[in-house]
Amino acid sequence: CSNPSLNATQAGRDSCASNPVGLFMFLAPAFARDDSQEVDSLFTEFALPITDDFDMQLALRYEDYGTVDSVDPKVVMRWSPTDDLTFRFTGQTTFRAPHPDEISNVRYTQLAFTRQTGAFKAVDITGNTNLDPEEATTFNIGAITDFGTDNWTATVDYYNFDFDNPIITEAYAQIAAAYAAGKGASPTAAQTAAFNAVKGQVRGGPNYLTDGSFAANEIARIETLYVNGPQTETDGLDIYIRWEDDYANGVLSAGMEAAYVIDYSVAAYSKGGAQIAGAYECAGYFNINNTCRSMPDLKSKAFVNYVTDQHNFYGAINYISSYEDRRSNVEIAPHTTVDATYTYSWDDFSMSFSAYNLTDEQPPFTLWEMSYDPNTHSPLGRYFKVGFTYNME
C-alpha cells in the first residue's frame, strides 16, 4: 500500500485503510496488532459424598467478557456398585466468546487450490465484529472395571457434544462452489440466491471486481469470514484396556486404546437467507471442501511394555482406518505403523533410543497437492531418536 498508483481506491476495490496488505498481493505480509481482551469469571464447586459408593460434584461458572456473559453449570457423578465396577457421568454447558483475532478487521492471507480455476488462489480470512458467542451442551458416560482381577484395567466412555453458533471460518471451497453454480447455464432459484449472497466475497475478471460479472474460472481471490456456523453434533467412544503382571524380575504390560467417532454432523449453512452448503457428515471423510478437519472413523494403538530396575522396552502398533475423499469417491487407504523404544536408566540418568515407523510405511496417497493428508499422516517414513535425561533432586 506504499504505492497509491497501484492500490488506488476504485469501484469495487478496497482502500489501503481496510486492506493494508495490498490489493494484488499473492503472498501477503503480516502486520502487527495490539489487541486486548478482559475476562472476569467466578467459579464454585461442591463435593457431595451421598453414600459410600455414590458421590457427586456440582459446579457453576460465571464469565463476563464485557459485552456478553454466561452462567454454565456442571454435574459429575460416580457410582461403584461393586468393588470391580465403577460408572461415571459428566454433563455441562460451555460458553466461548470470540477472541480478538476473530473480530479484528485486518485480514490475513493463505493460499489454497481452487478447483474452479485449476490453480492456487489467495484466500483472505477476515474477522467479524458481529460474532455471537459459541455455546455447547456436552455429556459423557463411562465405566471402569478390573474384571475382578488384579491384572486387568479397562475403561469405556461415550461422549456427546452439541454446539450452537460454533465460531468457524467459512470454507473457501463452499464459497467458490456457490459462485460457480450461480454462473452455470441454468441455475436454479436457490443457486442464484446463493450466488448473490457470496459474490461480494469473490474477486476476479480483468477488472478485479466483486460484482459477479466474471466466470468462475476467472476467480482471482476469495474472502472468507469468521462466522457463527451451523449447528454441529458429534459423539463417539473412547476405549482403553490394559493387562499387567510380574515377569522375570520386572513388570510386563500390554493393552490397547482406541478412539471411534460415531457421528459428526454439520447442519446446512446459510448466508443472507440463502443456503450456501447443504448438511453433511464429517466422520469417515477427508473433508477438504468443508469446515471439518480430516476425520477417519477409528484411530487405535496396541502396545506392550516391559520394565525392570534399569531397562524399559516399549513397542506399539498404530492404526488409522480408511476414509473417503468425497470429491472423487476415492478411498484413502488405512495406515499402520510400528514404533519401538528402549530406555536404560542408572542413578539420576536415563538414555532412550527410539525408532518410529519401523517398517518405513509411506502415508496413503491422497488427491491433494502434497499427495498425502498432513492433518492425519506423517510423510517422514522410518526415523530414529535418541534422548538423554538427568533428574535433579
Side-chain angles (χ1 to χ4, degrees), residues 325 330-333 362-368 370-373 377:
D325 185 346
V330 171
E331 181 181 85
I332 300 173
Q362 298 301 303
F365 176 76
T366 305
L367 292 172
W368 206 30
M370 291 178 284
S371 296
Y372 77 99
D373 177 5
H377 304 111

Side-chain angles (χ1 to χ4, degrees), residues 85-347:
L85 180 64
T86 298
F87 295 101
R88 56 189 177 187
F89 170 85
T90 301
Q92 63 183 335
T93 62
T94 63
F95 171 90
R96 183 172 78 89
H99 60 69
D101 284 345
E102 294 166 340
I103 59 177
S104 171
N105 63 356
V106 177
R107 68 185 67 176
Y108 67 92
T109 302
Q110 64 183 20
L111 308 179
F113 182 81
T114 306
R115 182 177 59 84
Q116 290 76 11
T117 66
F120 280 83
K121 297 297 177 180
V123 177
D124 299 318
I125 302 174
T126 307
N128 182 356
T129 58
N130 296 318
L131 285 176
D132 292 325
E134 174 183 305
E135 299 177 339
T137 301
T138 72
F139 74 87
N140 69 276
I141 184 169
I144 308 169
T145 182
D146 60 11
F147 302 106
T149 72
D150 295 330
N151 304 104
W152 288 91
T153 300
T155 65
V156 58
D157 290 279
Y158 169 80
Y159 64 85
N160 185 290
F161 298 163
D162 186 352
F163 296 92
D164 287 322
N165 292 326
I167 299 174
I168 62 171
T169 55
E170 294 177 299
Y172 79 92
Q174 292 178 348
I175 300 294
Y179 185 92
K183 295 295 288 185
S186 300
T188 65
Q191 290 172 331
T192 299
F195 168 80
N196 289 329
V198 303
K199 67 180 183 181
Q201 296 174 239
V202 181
R203 290 191 180 277
N207 294 319
Y208 204 64
L209 301 178
T210 58
D211 60 359
S213 60
F214 49 91
N217 62 4
E218 296 181 293
I219 292 175
R221 68 191 308 132
I222 301 169
E223 180 186 31
T224 63
L225 304 173
Y226 281 100
V227 295
N228 290 112
Q231 184 175 19
T232 301
E233 298 181 25
T234 181
D235 64 342
L237 290 172
D238 292 327
I239 300 171
Y240 176 81
I241 301 174
R242 179 187 177 93
W243 170 86
E244 182 177 288
D245 203 358
D246 295 335
Y247 179 79
N249 298 319
V251 177
L252 178 65
S253 59
M256 63 83 65
E257 54 189 72
Y260 179 71
V261 182
I262 299 173
D263 179 70
Y264 198 110
S265 300
V266 179
Y269 174 52
S270 296
K271 190 180 184 73
Q275 181 174 300
I276 307 303
Y280 52 89
E281 173 64 35
C282 294
Y285 293 96
F286 185 29
N287 298 317
I288 191 64
N289 283 342
N290 57 47
T291 59
C292 289
R293 58 176 172 82
S294 302
M295 199 174 298
D297 290 313
L298 176 65
K299 292 184 178 181
S300 62
K301 177 170 70 174
F303 62 88
V304 61
N305 191 71
Y306 178 65
V307 58
T308 66
D309 289 340
Q310 290 185 301
H311 306 280
N312 190 356
F313 300 89
Y314 174 83
I317 300 175
N318 311 290
Y319 174 78
I320 300 174
S321 65
S322 63
Y323 51 112
E324 186 178 342
D325 185 346
R326 254 185 293 237
R327 299 170 301 170
S328 55
N329 293 322
V330 171
E331 181 181 85
I332 300 173
H335 190 49
T336 302
T337 58
V338 179
D339 303 331
T341 297
Y342 167 69
T343 303
Y344 177 72
S345 302
W346 72 100
D347 296 331

